[in-house]
Amino acid sequence: MAGSGLRAACGIVSAGLALGVAELVSVPVGAGSAPLAAIGATVVDHTPDGVREWAIDTFGTDDKMMLYLLMGVVALIVAALAGVVERTGRPIGSVVLGAFGIGAAWAALERPSANWTWALPSLVGVALAIVVLRWLIRRYEAAGAPMRGGAAAPDPLKATAAQDVRSQGDDARLSARGAAWPRVVKPDVAQVDRRHVMRGIVGVGVLAVAAGIAGRVLGASARSVAGERAAVRLPPPNVPVPPVDPAADLRIPGLTPYLTSNSDFYRIDTALTVPQVSKETWSLRIHGMVDREILLDYADLARRPSVERLVTLTCVSNPVGGDLIGNASWLGYRLDELIAEAGPHPDADMVLSRSADGFTAGSPLAALTDGRDALLAVGMNGEPLPVEHGYPARLVVPGLYGYVSATKWVTELEITRFDRAQAYWTRRGWSERGPIKTGTRIDTPRGAVRAGKVTIAGVAWAQHRGIDAVEVQIDNGPWQPARLAAEPSVDTWRQWSYDWDAPAGTHTVRARATDGTGTVQTAQVADVIPDGASGYPSRTIRVG
């Protein structure tokens, strides 16, 4: 391996050891205190909206994985650079690693639930990395690496070769006298020392990987609430959801099912590390502009009457025709009843909900108390909430985009005013109240189809208003009414289909919906920022 390659490898394995040891130290401290988790969360908080939406549009629910990959690539480059510039007498690479450690510690301390111990994983990890980097570079330079000023250290191989030349005459003379002397081939000392350096690099790399895996495994095991969740038995709802009318699901191939399974339900949130919140320590505090503060734990909820409702959730980042939307049956407790017990002040107009990881959402108080099925949910599709979807409790509010209502791992409801408080995304320029726009999506067909009868189908939504009609347009022709599936609830999406006698050629299909108030979906094209996308979904279909 070339000299700069060896130096880069020294930097990479040293930084890898820092990350691995930091993962181990973070086990008793907190998952968010590990360097990559802390830096990643800071990146998410400060990413420009346009970049964030591009990432969601490009990678969908894999956006967090891509962020981790990007951070890994950047860390690899920085670590390699640190190794290349490090010298025994000029520790520039150590300074680079130290700056990384301080930055990671600062990012950890900035997290909402952090205390001073959250700096320890980054600081301990980088301190060890600097020690190891210094040790590896000393071994490397002692093995015959170029010295300062461009002069090379003596090469034992060349010295041995020169000695052999000088001794050739002596050998010849000895041979002439009939003496047979064996030649001693001296080892290449530089190559032997370089192998020592490589062994050191490999050893540190193995330790780094082992520490990182151990930290992740131990941390996941120590903090995981998956076992607890599996043992939870949900209370039977006092008001169960009626059986879903079979006519609500048209069961057309390629059409999204009426109910979305938990495993297929979209997940968009700011949590790089999924919060692990135990129901034994969870509580919900209702406070602020109220007559009396309320504190509820999980056992308190179990003693209350529960309800089960069908509600479709939609992410504000869902583009026209996108899939950041899902429909589920939710079990929970009515938010209007919980808030009424606290006695909100007449001039309050906002509920600022706060998550265990510090995320906040600002919901209009009226939307949580106007009689709609706004829930503190604990169950999803007949199961306890999946951990990644908010276990043990989250908010579900029909008719509002998730960024202003669907707080997962919720721990606080602060009754306040929009002119006194701002939530996570509204501080970043998104609209305050986030009502869901009427929308539709074309699910099928995709790609090429044969000429003749073709079924076009999709879903339409206008939560808390319902869907009264869907129309389909072929190649700028007249709008034609689609057939609607049954509508079990105005708070869910509605399937639709249209039978088309498709002629050969390339065609453009569009769709639009009319909600329960008689308002037709707007044709005006708008980006997701600041209050949701709009426009007609369209699809190009090739008919052969």
Side-chain angles (χ1 to χ4, degrees):
M1 185 182 291
S4 59
L6 274 175
R7 287 185 180 274
C10 291
I12 289 171
V13 297
S14 299
L17 186 62
L19 295 176
V21 169
E23 288 287 345
L24 274 175
V25 177
S26 73
V27 172
V29 175
S33 64
L36 289 181
I39 293 173
T42 300
V43 169
V44 170
D45 288 350
H46 295 89
T47 297
D49 288 339
V51 175
R52 172 185 175 274
E53 295 309 317
W54 171 85
I56 293 175
D57 187 46
T58 304
F59 304 113
T61 54
D62 293 327
D63 58 333
K64 295 177 178 62
M65 180 187 71
M66 296 307 300
L67 175 58
Y68 270 117
L69 289 176
L70 178 60
M71 289 192 298
V73 170
V74 172
L76 187 71
I77 294 172
V78 172
L81 177 64
V84 169
V85 301
E86 179 75 2
R87 299 291 184 274
T88 299
R90 190 179 58 191
I92 299 177
S94 297
V95 173
V96 171
L97 291 183
F100 172 83
I102 292 172
W106 173 83
L109 291 173
E110 286 294 299
R111 304 317 303 156
S113 56
N115 56 50
W116 68 270
T117 63
W118 281 47
L120 292 178
S122 296
L123 297 181
V124 171
V126 82
L128 182 59
I130 290 173
V131 171
V132 171
L133 178 62
R134 300 288 294 161
W135 173 70
L136 288 173
I137 292 299
R138 280 197 301 271
R139 286 172 66 92
Y140 170 76
E141 293 182 352
M147 300 174 66
R148 283 182 295 176
D155 188 331
L157 179 60
K158 293 181 179 178
T160 301
Q163 180 63 37
D164 286 344
V165 170
R166 287 195 297 273
S167 60
Q168 283 178 358
D170 294 336
D171 290 344
R173 288 191 295 273
L174 289 170
S175 297
R177 291 197 295 267
W181 295 88
R183 282 192 67 194
V184 178
V185 179
K186 298 183 178 180
D188 182 345
V189 178
Q191 293 301 323
V192 172
D193 287 347
R194 291 289 180 88
R195 286 197 291 271
H196 284 314
V197 175
M198 285 299 301
R199 281 195 285 269
I201 291 173
V202 171
V204 172
V206 170
L207 285 175
V209 172
I213 293 175
R216 281 299 176 105
V217 171
L218 291 175
S221 175
R223 291 185 287 264
S224 176
V225 295
E228 173 189 290
R229 173 190 174 272
V232 169
R233 296 294 176 263
L234 294 174
N238 296 75
V239 185
V241 66
V244 175
D245 186 341
D249 198 329
L250 299 177
R251 301 186 183 279
I252 295 171
L255 175 61
T256 302
Y258 176 72
L259 284 174
T260 309
S261 68
N262 292 355
S263 60
D264 291 334
F265 210 94
Y266 76 95
R267 178 199 162 201
I268 296 291
D269 51 53
T270 62
L272 285 182
T273 303
V274 177
Q276 303 289 316
V277 182
S278 170
K279 69 181 180 65
E280 302 302 326
T281 58
W282 174 87
S283 64
L284 178 69
R285 179 186 175 212
I286 304 176
H287 65 106
M289 299 174 64
V290 296
D291 295 334
R292 64 197 69 84
E293 184 172 313
I294 292 177
L295 187 65
L296 301 169
D297 61 22
Y298 202 83
D300 292 329
L301 294 181
R303 290 188 287 268
R304 292 172 171 268
S306 60
V307 299
E308 192 174 28
R309 291 291 184 266
L310 295 167
V311 179
T312 294
L313 299 185
T314 309
C315 181
V316 71
S317 296
N318 194 41
V320 173
D323 59 359
L324 300 180
I325 180 171
N327 184 46
S329 173
W330 306 92
L331 174 72
Y333 305 89
R334 296 192 62 89
L335 285 170
D336 52 4
E337 295 177 358
L338 296 176
I339 293 172
E341 290 181 22
H345 295 175
D347 56 337
D349 63 1
M350 174 190 184
V351 177
L352 185 70
S353 54
R354 182 170 283 103
S355 168
D357 68 343
F359 172 82
T360 55
S363 310
L365 176 60
L368 274 59
T369 58
D370 64 2
R372 73 182 71 187
D373 292 319
L375 302 178
L376 174 68
V378 296
M380 181 178 181
N381 287 331
E383 301 177 7
L385 287 173
V387 177
E388 63 272 19
H389 287 292
Y391 176 85
R394 65 169 294 166
L395 300 188
V396 172
V397 183
L400 299 181
Y401 285 119
Y403 81 103
V404 297
S405 66
T407 304
K408 303 171 186 173
W409 315 286
V410 63
T411 59
E412 287 185 40
L413 299 180
E414 180 184 355
I415 313 302
T416 181
R417 292 184 54 82
F418 280 103
D419 57 9
R420 297 182 186 178
Q422 281 190 308
Y424 184 93
W425 287 117
T426 51
R427 287 198 304 270
R428 290 159 175 79
W430 293 72
S431 65
E432 283 186 338
R433 299 172 187 264
I436 290 176
K437 297 177 180 179
T438 301
T440 189
R441 185 179 73 202
I442 302 170
D443 286 349
T444 187
R446 297 177 182 271
V449 297
R450 293 183 178 275
K453 182 181 178 182
V454 173
T455 299
I456 302 169
V459 291
W461 59 89
Q463 291 93 309
H464 201 53
R465 302 185 301 277
I467 293 294
D468 274 2
V470 172
E471 298 168 286
V472 175
Q473 182 188 57
I474 310 294
D475 296 332
N476 296 314
W479 289 96
Q480 302 290 339
R483 175 171 64 99
L484 293 177
E487 187 178 48
S489 169
V490 296
D491 291 334
T492 68
W493 59 18
R494 193 171 188 180
Q495 293 182 347
W496 57 266
S497 68
Y498 175 75
D499 293 331
W500 171 38
D501 188 10
T506 300
H507 304 276
T508 299
V509 177
R510 297 180 181 85
R512 69 182 184 187
T514 301
D515 68 21
T517 69
T519 303
V520 180
Q521 177 180 347
T522 179
Q524 182 178 357
V525 176
D527 194 8
V528 296
I529 301 172
D531 60 358
S534 67
Y536 296 155
S538 66
R539 178 164 294 179
T540 299
I541 300 175
R542 294 184 301 277
V543 181

